[in-house]
Amino acid sequence: MIDPGLRLALAAEAALAPSVHNVQPARWRFEGDGLLLFEDRTRRLAAGDPEGRDAEFSLGAAAEGMAIALSRHGLVLEDLGAEGLPPAEGQLVPVRRFAIAAGGAHVPLGDQVERRQSYRGRFLSPTDGDRAAARALEGEGVEVAAEPERIERIARLCDDAGLAFLRDGAFRAELLSWMRLSRRNPRWPLDGLNAEAMAMSRLEAVGAQAVLGPRLFRLLDRLGLGRTLTSEASTVATATAVVIVHHPIGADEFDCGRSFYRLWLRIAASNFSAAVMASLADHPQVSARLAKDLNLPDGRRIRTALRIGRAPPGSGYRRARLPPEAALV
């Protein structure tokens, strides 16, 4: 039996896992020695994630966060799967059942949970040692591009994909709804993508609010300014490396999300900061071009990518998170 105080602590740590647009869809219910994971469907991205793949990926990351949190207390999270789940409760949809058992060993990567966070600014110039440390992250399902010319090529691909998505008005509106561009926004410390997390100055945040609006973006894009205004290529080019994650076609998104969180914690353990470059995987043509560049075998697909590097001193910030009470149902 997990006491109420520990439940809050566990929920708070699990919430530190990454989620798409920082929507934090995971909700937990402790039942004796068991645990139910729900998806809060009010957090689903209708335009950006219509099939729910990113939601399931995010839920997997949250489950890995819960497993790591339990390990601190000598407990292990046993995945019992998705069979025999109870019916949905309105917008709360059960997705996984777990058992909690004694005997869990502390997960060393858990030491990185507090310090792992996105960093979307420019990185410090990499050294040969940095590039070697980045290449050491390669493994099954993980490719590392550390050569400057390859990083620049990937940066251009990312710009291609990003601009294509931003030309979709529904996508743009949904993205704006999750952006917190002013500290006066009451949700700044709670969820979504605030300007500090996106490494935006106050002026850049005001500009983003205007440019991504329904009319101005279309006008500027017609004038040929869309790419100039949305490009991240110069920032991406400062990265030590781009880490590309690929999985077998049809792989379970939930399990992929769990392994992705472990990878990001490994990145943090190597003293790198990172930012997700999801559009490289989400845009079919761009994803195919990148897969060809990487010589991925048939039957594999790019799932996501991160640019990594050494962040300047003092670049940390307080992560936006819901209170742990909101994650318990």
Side-chain angles (χ1 to χ4, degrees):
M1 179 71 71
I2 307 294
D3 68 67
L6 182 54
R7 292 179 187 184
L8 287 172
L10 293 169
E13 180 169 341
L16 295 178
S19 62
V20 57
H21 286 5
N22 192 28
V23 302
Q24 303 169 59
R27 302 292 179 264
W28 304 95
R29 178 175 296 161
F30 289 87
E31 299 178 331
D33 294 328
L35 182 61
L36 270 175
L37 171 60
F38 295 81
E39 178 193 355
D40 181 350
R41 285 288 178 91
T42 67
R43 303 246 144 191
R44 183 69 71 89
L45 302 174
D49 183 30
E51 297 177 359
R53 292 174 55 244
D54 289 339
E56 191 174 355
F57 193 81
S58 300
L59 291 164
E64 187 64 23
M66 180 61 75
I68 291 170
L70 284 165
S71 78
R72 300 184 194 281
H73 303 276
L75 300 169
V76 62
L77 189 70
E78 298 179 354
D79 190 343
L80 302 180
E83 297 294 327
L85 293 173
E89 301 172 16
Q91 293 295 317
L92 287 177
V93 179
V95 295
R96 217 78 164 196
R97 187 187 298 277
F98 302 90
I100 300 172
H106 172 61
V107 177
L109 284 175
D111 297 338
Q112 307 302 321
V113 167
E114 288 290 339
R115 63 190 298 266
R116 183 216 67 84
Q117 60 181 196
S118 295
Y119 172 71
R120 302 194 66 84
R122 299 175 71 86
F123 296 110
L124 299 175
S125 296
T127 65
D128 290 342
D130 292 339
R131 293 191 178 95
R135 291 189 181 98
L137 295 166
E138 279 196 341
E140 177 64 29
V142 179
E143 303 288 334
V144 175
E147 302 78 13
E149 63 277 8
R150 291 185 74 197
I151 295 172
E152 290 176 7
R153 189 160 63 249
I154 291 171
R156 290 193 296 272
L157 285 175
C158 192
D159 275 359
D160 291 344
L163 181 57
F165 285 120
L166 288 172
R167 283 173 170 158
D168 180 333
F171 179 92
R172 226 170 38 251
E174 185 174 74
L175 174 62
L176 264 178
S177 76
W178 285 97
M179 293 173 77
R180 318 301 184 213
L181 297 173
S182 168
R183 289 183 182 273
R184 292 192 296 273
N185 187 319
R187 302 206 68 82
W188 172 285
L190 299 177
D191 58 15
L193 307 166
N194 68 42
E196 189 174 32
M198 292 184 288
M200 284 184 179
S201 68
R202 184 174 299 181
L203 181 60
E204 288 170 328
V206 171
Q209 182 75 53
V211 167
L212 295 177
R215 294 185 179 86
L216 186 55
F217 183 87
R218 291 198 301 271
L219 171 62
L220 294 171
D221 195 30
R222 283 199 298 269
L223 294 172
L225 297 174
R227 181 178 295 274
T228 301
L229 291 167
T230 61
S231 174
E232 292 188 291
S234 62
T235 299
V236 175
T238 68
T240 299
V242 176
V243 177
I244 302 106
V245 179
H246 56 93
H247 293 293
I249 293 172
D252 184 270
E253 294 286 352
F254 189 89
D255 292 338
C256 292
R258 294 192 69 166
S259 66
F260 173 72
Y261 190 23
R262 291 194 296 272
L263 171 63
W264 201 335
L265 294 176
R266 285 177 55 212
I267 290 170
S270 298
N271 294 315
F272 289 118
S273 295
V276 173
M277 303 167 70
S279 61
L280 287 170
D282 294 342
H283 191 284
Q285 288 76 31
V286 166
S287 179
R289 288 165 62 187
L290 183 55
K292 183 177 180 181
D293 183 64
L294 296 171
N295 293 314
L296 293 187
D298 291 342
R300 308 285 299 187
R301 65 178 179 87
I302 293 171
R303 183 56 189 88
T304 192
L306 304 104
R307 59 182 185 261
I308 69 171
R310 309 292 187 197
S315 57
Y317 56 89
R318 182 179 179 182
R319 286 172 290 187
R321 289 298 185 275
L322 296 168
E325 295 88 351
L328 298 176
V329 296

